[in-house]
Amino acid sequence: MARRRSADRREIVPDAKFNDLIVAKFMNCLMYEGKKSVAEGIVYGAFDTIQSKTKQDPLNVFHEALRNVSPALEVRSRRVGGATYQVPVEVRLDRARALAIRWIITASRGRNEPTMMGRLRSEEHTSELQSRLHLVCRLLLEK
């Protein structure tokens, strides 16, 4: 970490098709080795299949999937005296969004389908990721 000042936030350019910053951030997280056009093709292809199969706006489906997955609370370790406690803390909006994007990408990469486009499409409809959210909430309620 820098000792003098915090690092400046980089400006993210919105994506070309939907003019949305969150979709651009999702594509940047999905991208391997700087191949942005491949990531764009995957995301836009998944959005096209969502549009054709569900007859809904794919951007709304995407944002709803992110909202369903993003956590409201997380546990942080606090050291008081000699003991370490798990303390529930509210998650900031940018961290919750980053966690949701990361969870969607890792869960869709773990699916058993031939193309990443198909994995993303089906991942946005399943509630597999909500099990992780429920696990976090269950851990918080136990304490």
Side-chain angles (χ1 to χ4, degrees), residues 88-135:
V89 178
E90 285 189 27
V91 182
R92 293 188 328 264
L93 179 66
D94 55 344
R95 175 157 170 79
R97 189 176 296 143
L99 285 173
I101 288 172
R102 190 179 318 148
W103 290 348
I104 286 177
I105 290 173
T106 54
S108 52
R109 282 184 180 148
R111 292 181 73 88
N112 192 14
E113 292 188 30
T115 63
M116 186 62 185
M117 194 181 317
R119 293 179 205 156
L120 268 181
R121 180 197 66 234
S122 58
E123 190 58 47
E124 290 180 359
H125 287 297
T126 61
S127 62
E128 179 182 351
L129 294 173
Q130 289 187 0
S131 63
R132 184 177 290 180
L133 183 63
H134 292 302
L135 176 70

Side-chain angles (χ1 to χ4, degrees), residues 58-114:
L59 201 58
N60 290 339
V61 173
F62 174 71
H63 285 296
E64 186 64 31
L66 277 180
R67 241 179 272 118
N68 287 341
V69 173
S70 61
L73 296 172
E74 68 179 344
V75 290
R76 294 276 175 111
S77 296
R78 291 280 171 218
R79 189 160 169 88
V80 179
T84 304
Y85 297 106
Q86 298 287 323
V87 179
V89 178
E90 285 189 27
V91 182
R92 293 188 328 264
L93 179 66
D94 55 344
R95 175 157 170 79
R97 189 176 296 143
L99 285 173
I101 288 172
R102 190 179 318 148
W103 290 348
I104 286 177
I105 290 173
T106 54
S108 52
R109 282 184 180 148
R111 292 181 73 88
N112 192 14
E113 292 188 30

Side-chain angles (χ1 to χ4, degrees), residues 5-88:
R5 63 185 177 109
S6 61
D8 294 333
R9 285 215 168 265
R10 292 187 178 142
E11 291 294 322
I12 297 175
V13 179
D15 73 305
K17 190 172 184 180
F18 295 105
N19 200 21
D20 191 0
L21 288 172
I22 299 171
V23 174
K25 180 73 174 164
F26 187 80
M27 281 192 279
N28 289 343
C29 291
L30 184 67
M31 178 173 49
Y32 273 137
E33 297 177 354
K35 301 192 178 235
K36 191 156 195 163
S37 61
V38 174
E40 284 178 353
I42 290 169
V43 171
Y44 291 151
F47 280 1
D48 289 340
T49 54
I50 287 172
Q51 171 80 35
S52 64
K53 289 199 176 202
T54 63
K55 306 292 189 240
Q56 295 177 356
D57 183 27
L59 201 58
N60 290 339
V61 173
F62 174 71
H63 285 296
E64 186 64 31
L66 277 180
R67 241 179 272 118
N68 287 341
V69 173
S70 61
L73 296 172
E74 68 179 344
V75 290
R76 294 276 175 111
S77 296
R78 291 280 171 218
R79 189 160 169 88
V80 179
T84 304
Y85 297 106
Q86 298 287 323
V87 179

